[in-house]
Amino acid sequence: MAAGRFAPSPTGPLHIGSLYTALASFLDARAEGLPWRLRFDDLDAPRNQPGAESRILRSLEAHGLHWDGPVERQSERLDLYQAALEKLQRRAKLFHCTCSRKALAGSPIYPGHCRGQIAPVPNAAIRVRVDDAAVEFIDLVQGRQHARLGATVGDFIIKRRDGPFAYQLATAVDDGNPNIVRVLRGRDLLANTPRQLHVMALLGLPAPTYAHIPVLLNTAGQKWSKQTEAPTVNDHKHLANIRACLMLLGLQPPDLDLDTLIEWASAHWSLDRIGKRNQAFDPSLS
Ligand code: GLU
Ligand code: ZN
């Protein structure tokens, strides 16, 4: 069944920036009459934080953001990613890269050294060829997007040298599932989308509709994230948190209890109210 999705990495509890994205993705799905699925992007095992999943689930529930269907985990779908990799292999789109980090330092575009290494090599990353792929799509917030992968990133990694499938492959397979029709996420991820669309196209998977919303910045102009020590959301302040996020999303929330407010917000949701630019949010003012 067609759905939207929210895909946090369980690297820490929800902070104001991730709550804002979760709320926007929830409202967008509800406004479209779609279920809202929850998927943990947990392939980067060393970055996963014990207990983060259950804290995220608890925070979403406390804020009235109830997901539909079972919680999914990328770590439970490795067979799908392996099948996708084998399909790309059969289509002669993959090669094994043994370039050291040092050899690639200073070249943002992969220079193609290992393109001839089609057969598996120990201790190698696996890259997908981009050839002359040009990717175009309409983002519902950011407008028409165009990327020539050969001029921006070059052949990119879909399985890391240390083992895990890369974010680009796993996310392309999951969001390329015909049931996922809407992907709303932060603008910081926009640069990844052409790579994911390229993988979907090579695999013959249908692309969802994308909306990349502005991210919240701290007072120093950095994205609120785990790295910038964004404060964990306080679940007891659920109503105040949701009201703050709604205002940042261009809505003027009336005085209502949490569940009624969320209903109201789904009915008043419009992507047109969201600007394209990142905006500052100082939690000490809320
Ligand atoms: N799990 C990643 C993140 O939280 C990607 C999310 C996405 O593709 O929506 O940044
Ligand atoms: Zn290489």
Side-chain angles (χ1 to χ4, degrees):
M1 189 182 172
R5 82 352 171 233
F6 176 56
S9 302
T11 51
L14 280 191
H15 53 77
I16 186 70
S18 44
L19 177 67
Y20 163 85
T21 310
L23 175 64
S25 135
F26 176 92
L27 294 175
D28 183 70
R30 282 289 181 271
E32 292 292 309
L34 298 171
W36 187 60
R37 307 242 177 263
L38 185 64
R39 174 183 91 217
F40 282 112
D41 287 356
D42 60 351
L43 291 183
D44 196 351
R47 290 186 61 228
N48 293 341
Q49 194 189 83
E53 273 196 19
S54 53
R55 285 189 73 180
I56 292 173
L57 296 177
R58 232 182 305 130
S59 287
L60 291 173
E61 290 205 306
H63 288 83
L65 305 179
H66 306 292
W67 58 93
D68 298 294
V71 172
E72 292 176 3
R73 284 177 195 83
Q74 289 194 323
S75 60
E76 291 167 359
R77 304 162 66 100
L78 301 182
D79 50 337
L80 283 181
Y81 310 139
Q82 184 60 33
L85 190 129
E86 285 165 17
K87 193 163 175 183
L88 294 172
Q89 182 94 55
R90 285 196 298 277
R91 297 192 174 174
K93 293 296 179 188
L94 303 186
F95 62 90
H96 298 81
C97 172
T98 42
C99 294
S100 66
R101 206 175 278 253
K102 211 160 148 206
L104 297 178
S107 45
I109 301 171
Y110 178 70
H113 297 317
C114 306
R115 253 176 226 146
Q117 295 193 131
I118 303 302
V121 188
N123 266 322
I126 301 182
R127 288 183 186 265
V128 64
R129 298 178 65 105
V130 300
D131 299 313
D132 54 1
V135 179
E136 270 198 63
F137 66 102
I138 310 272
D139 185 88
L140 296 181
V141 176
Q142 306 296 332
R144 181 178 292 278
Q145 305 292 312
H146 175 87
R148 255 184 200 290
L149 289 171
T152 52
V153 285
D155 305 332
F156 56 92
I157 292 179
I158 58 164
K159 192 163 191 290
R160 287 166 23 179
R161 183 194 297 258
D162 57 341
F165 293 104
Y167 165 65
Q168 309 298 354
L169 179 79
T171 298
V173 169
D174 288 342
D175 292 344
N177 181 309
N179 290 331
I180 299 297
V181 296
R182 220 112 166 148
V183 170
L184 182 150
R185 59 186 173 190
R187 201 183 86 166
D188 55 316
L189 294 167
L190 183 60
N192 294 287
T193 309
R195 277 172 271 180
Q196 293 165 17
L197 286 168
H198 177 60
V199 172
M200 289 176 198
L202 290 177
L203 292 169
L205 299 174
T209 299
Y210 288 97
H212 288 84
I213 65 167
V215 298
L216 299 187
L217 306 176
N218 65 16
T219 44
Q222 302 154 315
K223 182 196 169 201
W224 274 125
S225 66
K226 199 184 160 192
Q227 289 72 29
T228 58
E229 294 172 13
T232 301
V233 295
N234 178 345
D235 291 346
H236 299 298
K237 296 196 176 165
H238 42 73
L239 190 54
N241 294 336
I242 291 291
R243 292 181 66 85
C245 288
L246 288 175
M247 285 191 263
L248 290 162
L249 291 165
L251 291 165
Q252 295 298 325
D255 225 336
L256 295 168
D257 66 77
L258 183 68
D259 288 338
T260 322
L261 183 59
I262 297 228
E263 283 290 307
W264 174 91
S266 328
H268 290 80
W269 174 251
S270 164
L271 286 171
D272 300 337
R273 290 184 215 270
I274 302 178
K276 291 188 186 184
R277 312 263 308 270
N278 296 338
Q279 33 183 351
F281 178 71
D282 180 355
S284 65
L285 300 177
S286 70

